[in-house]
Amino acid sequence: MALSAIEIYQHLPKTNCGDCGVPTCLAFAMKLAQKQASLDECPHIGEEAAAALDSAAAPPMATITIGDSSKALKLGGETVLFRHEERFHHPCGIAIEVSSDLPADEVTAKAKEINELEYERVGDMYGVDLVAVRDAGNGSFGEAARVAAEAGDLPLILMSDDPSAMGAALEAVGSGKPLIYAATAGNIQEMAALAKEHSCPLAIRAEGLEELASLSGQALEAGVEDLVLDAGAREAGQVLQNETAIRRAALNKKVRELGFPTIAFPVGDSVVEKSLQACNCIAKYAGIVVVDFTDAVGILPMLTTRLNIYTDPQRPPQVPPGVHEIGEPGPDSPVLCTTNFSLTYYIVEGDVSASKVPVWVVVVDTEGTSVLTAWAAEDFTAETIAAAIESSGIEEKVNHKNIVIPGGVAVLSGKTEEESGWNVIVGPRESSGIPSFFRQQGFS
Amino acid sequence: MSFEMPVETWPAAVSTVTLGATAEQGGTRTSTVTVGGEATLPFLNFEQETPNRPVIAMEVFDEQPSEWPAPLEAAYSDVWGDPAQWAQKCVEEYGADLICLRLASADPEATNASPDEVADHVRAVLEAVGVPLIIWGCGDYDKDNEIMPVCSQAAAGERCLLGSAVEDNYKTISACALADKHVIINEAPLDINIQKQVTILVTDMGVDPSDIILYQTTGALGYGVEYAFSIMERTRLAALGGDAMLGMPMLAVVGAEAWRSKEARLSDEAGAEFGWGPQEPRSILWEAATATIFLHGGCDILTMWHPEAVALVRRTIDELMA
């Protein structure tokens, strides 16, 4: 959070000497607050005041990077507690675990599988972000880390509480800026030294928030600036409270030791239970979630929860303009048109699916607004509908020239017929009327 | 360093609403359900205990639903021709906190059952189970204005939750709630200002603010869940900040929305095409995950469909309350 001019002014010499080029200290503070001046323009500022202002001006939650490939993952940097206040900036990283007690070829196979997990949603591909290699304590952690690193571009989390095993694994993977998990009360000095030596981010695991803040402070003192926090709890209720406390402490109280992204380990008796708890964590502040399964059934809701929670509320989600198919439409199938606001499109898609009538939908680019909003803003007009019909290529897909427009814009029907040369049928006002509309029109 | 919990103080709390009335209270319910009363954000027990846990209403349709996906058919096909048996199964086998009876048979586009016929369905369900009831119309305003007074009267004194009052159609249902001592659902289309407006309209009719539950049309995971989630968060923050017109418990329609999604509807074979895994766990988890997000938004009543999704969400509520 930026400092106000008055807060900055408290730290200035208050001599109004004018050596900075501004007549008074208060005026200089106002320029600083607006970022029109920099602190070193004041020759008289003391070291202590400069440090205080620097740390106060720093973002309340650090942004850290795991990995150094094209798949490097940025985390943290969050500025709000609620997505409607602004947006969440860096989507929660999803990690899948591989245990080092698997034979090397199985570690490779699993790491490859994790690297290749990908699902399509509205034209985009989504996958997981990290491969977490867990030290099973059988002496092959370094080897497992090495083959997992070689299996793909996803960055790694190296998981061991044993500094010598961690050191060996860091040597084995060479570079790649993996996340070290974890420094604990028992090994913080050794782990911090490893993080510094290898320039890697360091995760801290503690028993509770107080110990977490204390260990984090020790890591910062040791010169490790890229941290990830784990307050130790695994039960959903305590995890939620810890996550909330950490986010509030960082943003509202400027507790530097807690101004870092978090890592969570969902627990449960089955893939379904673990996935559900992962969704809990993603909905409320987790920076990384680590799970131990690759099943689509469990991964898909996690990817989707993340996608939804991290969308920018100021920029409406959109579907690509053009022709969309619902069911398997043929040349006789009806042609509908609507806007490219995702919600609008999904509602239409749901109601059309319920009707069991396969259709073509011409989606008009209205910059993600709904039918009536787009109509009012003149983004959904006879002209834009006609242009969308033309550019979509729908004419080659069907043997008729009938298009159904939303009932809410019935007023556009005459003009749209003129502009497009298509016969316009006015559909229902509400999408929920589509199934009965189709019945009345005799579509099946 | 010493660490201080970042506790926040909130000037107001959510209203507390009890659904259902026992014999002593003028009804025939054997149990009641109390929701609301939160004085902090969901499950932040370090700040304030959560006074009443969120509850799950299982939905029962008063006629056999058409084209339900296989996992729902497997759960309900033995009872879905009879709303009383269906409700009984939900309560006795699946532990429903309350039953949400959907008067789908009244829909003029479907069976178009008469007000007396649907009122018989209400009576049958009231007799079959002892838990409180949500009674929700068919969604056709004119028809709902015909059936709701008759159904409301059939359940007079039971303190049912009646759905729903909307900006363009709130008078009849408000009058029902007043006349027969029920609670009503105020519905808005993902719009916080319209939600307030409906509350103002309904309270102007004389409905007590403690007899109101708020409902914003919901979207499923992957289909706009974040809109409903953020609206819930904003509503709850406004409530805790002292906005009395938004200070009521909230309801989300989870089952109906989640089961419209492709992720829930696609069969094993169709889902395999996308690499999505088998339908049963996929659809159940989709419903449960949608519900769980709303729990974090501050939702107090979830209406749900699949018994296993209900069980999963109940366990999540247990964990979050702990």
Side-chain angles (χ1 to χ4, degrees):
Chain A
M1 207 176 295
L3 289 178
S4 72
I6 294 298
E7 286 167 314
I8 295 172
Y9 177 69
Q10 304 306 329
H11 294 281
L12 298 181
K14 304 185 186 113
T15 52
N16 300 333
C17 67
D19 290 351
C20 61
V22 182
T24 67
C25 288
L26 185 58
F28 182 57
M30 289 168 79
K31 286 195 125 188
L32 284 173
Q34 289 162 3
K35 304 214 183 328
Q36 291 169 351
S38 95
L39 195 56
D40 53 24
E41 287 167 41
C42 170
H44 308 293
I45 189 108
E47 250 177 56
E48 211 170 291
L53 283 170
D54 265 355
S55 72
M61 189 197 284
T63 303
I64 70 146
T65 304
I66 304 174
D68 61 2
S69 72
S70 61
K71 298 265 180 80
L73 182 68
K74 271 195 163 53
L75 295 170
E78 299 301 343
T79 50
V80 291
L81 279 146
F82 306 101
R83 59 186 289 284
H84 65 260
E85 293 178 305
E86 184 181 312
R87 66 167 301 180
F88 295 147
H89 296 278
H90 293 114
C92 172
I94 294 175
I96 301 180
E97 227 177 270
V98 187
S99 177
S100 71
D101 59 2
L102 293 174
D105 57 337
E106 284 182 40
V107 172
T108 300
K110 182 124 191 236
K112 274 202 157 66
E113 185 192 357
I114 297 165
N115 267 276
E116 284 157 16
L117 268 187
E118 239 186 357
Y119 301 96
E120 196 222 306
R121 178 159 204 97
V122 223
D124 288 316
M125 301 302 291
Y126 299 95
V128 299
D129 311 285
L130 299 150
V131 178
V133 184
R134 182 186 282 278
D135 181 12
N138 61 336
S140 61
F141 183 47
E143 178 63 4
R146 189 184 62 78
V147 299
E150 280 169 7
D153 287 337
L154 289 186
L156 300 186
I157 304 176
L158 300 177
M159 299 171 62
S160 176
D161 290 355
D162 174 359
S164 65
M166 185 61 74
L170 287 164
E171 294 296 338
V173 298
S175 58
K177 280 190 77 175
L179 172 65
I180 298 173
Y181 181 94
T184 64
N187 67 17
I188 179 106
Q189 294 309 330
E190 294 97 316
M191 287 294 192
L194 286 172
K196 215 165 149 54
E197 180 189 341
H198 294 270
S199 313
C200 290
L202 175 67
I204 293 169
R205 185 181 70 245
E207 307 284 331
L209 294 165
E210 182 137 6
E211 185 182 81
L212 185 64
S214 150
L215 293 178
S216 167
Q218 292 175 43
L220 287 167
E221 256 171 53
V224 184
E225 305 256 315
D226 288 352
L227 302 175
V228 172
L229 307 176
D230 175 3
R234 297 294 176 259
E235 319 77 44
Q238 195 55 51
V239 170
L240 170 71
Q241 298 191 54
N242 287 348
E243 290 281 355
T244 306
I246 290 171
R247 177 69 62 98
R248 279 188 187 172
L251 266 46
N252 299 346
K253 309 270 182 199
K254 316 247 169 57
V255 178
R256 179 161 182 244
E257 291 81 358
L258 298 182
F260 295 97
T262 59
I263 186 167
F265 294 84
V267 292
D269 294 333
S270 62
V271 165
V272 164
E273 283 185 26
K274 287 182 219 176
S275 169
L276 188 59
Q277 203 189 322
C279 293
N280 270 288
C281 297
I282 294 166
K284 279 291 173 184
Y285 308 137
I288 302 172
V289 291
V290 185
V291 295
D292 61 0
F293 53 81
T294 52
D295 311 54
V297 159
I299 297 294
L300 208 52
M302 292 162 57
L303 292 174
T304 313
T305 299
R306 172 178 70 175
L307 180 66
N308 286 171
I309 294 293
Y310 283 86
T311 50
D312 183 349
Q314 266 102 50
R315 280 191 52 225
Q318 303 176 17
V319 295
V323 179
H324 291 241
E325 299 174 17
I326 303 177
E328 286 173 11
D332 300 323
S333 299
V335 177
L336 312 186
C337 90
T338 190
T339 75
N340 74 333
F341 179 36
S342 284
L343 275 190
T344 301
Y345 178 78
Y346 285 136
I347 292 167
V348 170
E349 188 195 46
D351 290 319
V352 168
S353 298
S355 78
K356 295 267 164 184
V357 178
V359 307
W360 307 96
V361 184
V362 173
V363 171
V364 180
D365 185 357
T366 59
E367 295 174 354
T369 53
S370 65
V371 168
L372 289 177
T373 311
W375 171 69
E378 301 199 341
D379 286 324
F380 196 58
T381 63
E383 290 79 9
T384 58
I385 295 171
I389 293 172
E390 167 92 38
S391 64
S392 69
I394 184 67
E395 204 151 352
E396 285 94 67
K397 295 183 192 289
V398 293
N399 59 15
H400 61 87
K401 291 184 88 173
N402 300 312
I403 189 159
V404 181
I405 66 169
V409 292
V411 46
L412 295 178
S413 59
K415 188 90 188 294
T416 304
E417 290 197 338
E418 271 174 43
E419 291 284 334
S420 66
W422 280 52
N423 175 40
V424 170
I425 303 164
V426 176
R429 277 189 72 87
E430 296 293 334
S431 164
S432 56
I434 286 175
S436 66
F437 168 77
F438 281 167
R439 276 196 297 278
Q440 286 155 18
Q441 295 280 323
F443 293 124
S444 57
Chain B
M1 70 168 289
S2 69
F3 173 74
E4 208 179 303
M5 274 310 259
V7 173
E8 289 175 15
T9 51
W10 306 94
V14 177
S15 62
T16 302
V17 179
T18 297
L19 302 175
T22 61
E24 287 167 1
Q25 298 156 328
T28 64
R29 301 300 82 205
T30 53
S31 61
T32 62
V33 161
T34 300
V35 292
E38 299 94 333
T40 178
L41 294 169
F43 313 111
L44 297 187
N45 293 337
F46 69 81
E47 206 155 75
Q48 290 274 337
E49 288 294 315
T50 307
N52 297 294
R53 53 181 281 144
V55 296
I56 301 171
M58 293 184 73
E59 287 203 357
V60 168
F61 288 74
D62 75 337
E63 67 178 359
Q64 183 180 328
S66 61
E67 292 162 359
W68 262 16
L72 291 170
E73 187 180 344
Y76 296 118
S77 62
D78 56 335
V79 291
W80 67 16
D82 179 344
Q85 280 186 32
W86 186 345
Q88 234 160 18
K89 186 173 190 184
C90 288
V91 173
E92 284 163 19
E93 274 185 45
Y94 306 139
D97 297 311
L98 59 171
I99 291 295
C100 177
L101 178 63
R102 292 269 179 181
L103 302 173
S105 72
D107 188 348
E109 290 288 337
T111 308
N112 201 14
S114 72
D116 287 336
E117 284 170 308
V118 289
D120 281 343
H121 299 155
V122 172
R123 282 188 203 95
V125 172
L126 279 169
E127 252 169 58
V129 297
V131 299
L133 235 59
I134 302 174
I135 304 172
W136 213 312
C138 66
D140 180 291
Y141 294 167
D142 294 337
K143 187 63 185 285
D144 282 346
N145 290 340
E146 284 175 44
I147 63 168
M148 288 313 278
V150 187
C151 293
S152 165
Q153 207 177 8
E158 298 283 10
R159 227 177 136 70
C160 297
L161 180 56
L162 306 181
S164 55
V166 295
E167 197 179 15
D168 298 331
N169 194 42
Y170 63 91
K171 287 185 178 155
T172 305
I173 203 158
S174 301
C176 289
L178 284 169
D180 302 316
K181 300 200 162 49
H182 297 305
V183 181
I184 56 174
I185 298 171
N186 280 3
E187 175 179 336
L190 283 177
D191 186 316
I192 214 158
N193 295 318
I194 295 178
Q195 181 88 79
K196 278 183 89 155
Q197 175 65 10
V198 178
T199 304
I200 291 165
L201 293 169
V202 164
T203 46
D204 278 353
M205 290 276 296
V207 176
D208 194 283
S210 65
D211 292 339
I212 293 172
I213 300 287
L214 305 180
Y215 163 54
Q216 296 270 5
T217 48
T218 315
L221 177 59
Y223 300 83
V225 76
E226 71 275 24
Y227 285 82
F229 172 69
S230 282
I231 289 250
M232 281 179 196
E233 287 200 314
R234 287 171 57 199
T235 303
R236 183 51 47 87
L237 287 167
L240 297 175
D243 188 336
M245 290 294 109
L246 293 170
M248 295 84 177
M250 297 185 281
L251 174 146
V253 171
V254 177
E257 290 299 328
W259 286 89
R260 274 161 59 129
S261 71
K262 217 190 229 175
E263 286 78 358
R265 291 197 86 90
L266 285 195
S267 65
D268 290 358
E269 301 78 49
E273 214 176 292
F274 302 95
W276 279 0
Q279 182 183 17
E280 192 177 85
R282 169 172 21 101
S283 57
I284 288 167
L285 187 48
W286 212 260
E287 183 176 4
T290 302
T292 236
I293 293 169
F294 293 142
L295 287 175
H296 291 293
C299 195
D300 300 274
I301 305 173
L302 303 155
T303 72
M304 297 187 63
W305 283 9
H306 198 283
E308 282 184 43
V310 169
L312 281 167
V313 174
R314 187 178 299 127
R315 202 169 319 145
T316 299
I317 295 170
D318 289 342
E319 289 166 5
L320 290 169
M321 291 288 291

